[in-house]
Amino acid sequence: MTGRKSREEIELFANTILKRYNMYGIPVDTIVLANKMGINVKNGNFSDPSVSGMIHKKGEKVELCIKVSDELHKQRFTVAHELGHVVLHLNDLDDGDHPEQDINILRRNSNIKFKYTNKYIETAEKEANQFAAALLMDEELVRAVWGKFSSLETMAEAFGVSEGTMAYRLGNLDL
């Protein structure tokens, strides 16, 4: 990993992606966004019930697979989280010496499993979660509608996230 990214950098990455692919608004359709980025998203079931999603990369082709039995808001967050890994970390995993190698990243109870140290995994997970929050709940949009909605429940519904996710985002934005 080339170094820890600040919250501001991650917010900028997410905002740039939303605008580049003309997806700036609420709610963000993460499947459409992934497709516009050239990433195919598949639904599936995993033999390990703790896995919510995964990235598979071979050469230039990247696919995401998400757990079909998860609630819609969790699927959306998982796709956004995995897109965070694609944008922020996937190049770190590609050593360049084996362009056709398979790279797999599993989201297992918010932990990815691959060949790097636990500190790398912890940082990468935190950054992917920050990216997902920024992608699904863009700071400018959250601030623009905060106060116009009558409740946390209404905010969460409008953005297509769980109430817990929205509460966490509002807290991070000091709202």
Side-chain angles (χ1 to χ4, degrees), residues 86-102:
V86 169
V87 170
L88 302 171
H89 309 123
L90 201 55
N91 287 336
D92 294 340
L93 302 178
D94 188 352
D95 63 13
D97 294 332
H98 305 92
E100 291 303 312
Q101 75 180 353
D102 286 330

Side-chain angles (χ1 to χ4, degrees), residues 30-31 34 41 64 66 75-84:
T30 56
I31 304 292
V41 180
L64 304 181
I66 57 172
Q75 289 178 1
R76 294 179 71 255
F77 193 89
T78 297
V79 172
H81 174 97
E82 299 302 344
L83 289 176

Side-chain angles (χ1 to χ4, degrees), residues 48-52 74 106-112 125:
D48 181 342
S50 69
V51 174
S52 294
K74 185 170 182 178
L106 300 177
R107 183 167 189 234
R108 183 187 320 265
N109 293 330
S110 299
N111 292 316
I112 55 175
E125 280 303 294

Side-chain angles (χ1 to χ4, degrees), residues 116-175:
Y116 293 91
T117 65
N118 285 340
K119 185 65 176 169
Y120 178 90
I121 292 170
E122 181 181 318
T123 299
E125 280 303 294
K126 182 181 269 189
E127 290 176 350
N129 282 337
Q130 289 174 341
F131 181 89
L135 194 75
L136 294 171
M137 299 164 286
D138 178 79
E139 181 174 359
E140 290 176 23
L141 293 173
V142 169
R143 289 185 186 284
V145 300
W146 178 242
K148 294 179 183 176
F149 289 105
S150 60
S151 68
L152 174 67
E153 180 181 43
T154 306
M155 284 283 288
E157 187 176 319
F159 283 86
V161 296
S162 71
E163 290 180 36
T165 299
M166 180 55 73
Y168 190 81
R169 180 67 168 157
L170 292 172
N172 281 342
L173 297 177
D174 294 322
L175 295 174

Side-chain angles (χ1 to χ4, degrees), residues 65-76:
C65 187
I66 57 172
K67 188 176 188 177
V68 71
S69 60
D70 280 346
E71 294 179 50
L72 182 59
H73 64 83
K74 185 170 182 178
Q75 289 178 1
R76 294 179 71 255

Side-chain angles (χ1 to χ4, degrees), residues 15-55:
N15 186 276
T16 300
I17 293 289
L18 290 170
K19 289 180 177 174
R20 178 183 301 152
Y21 293 101
N22 198 29
M23 298 293 294
Y24 189 77
I26 57 175
V28 174
D29 188 327
T30 56
I31 304 292
V32 170
L33 177 59
N35 291 164
K36 285 184 175 191
M37 293 173 69
I39 299 168
N40 188 31
V41 180
K42 298 178 177 180
N43 287 321
N45 289 306
F46 301 97
S47 57
D48 181 342
S50 69
V51 174
S52 294
M54 71 171 288
I55 298 171

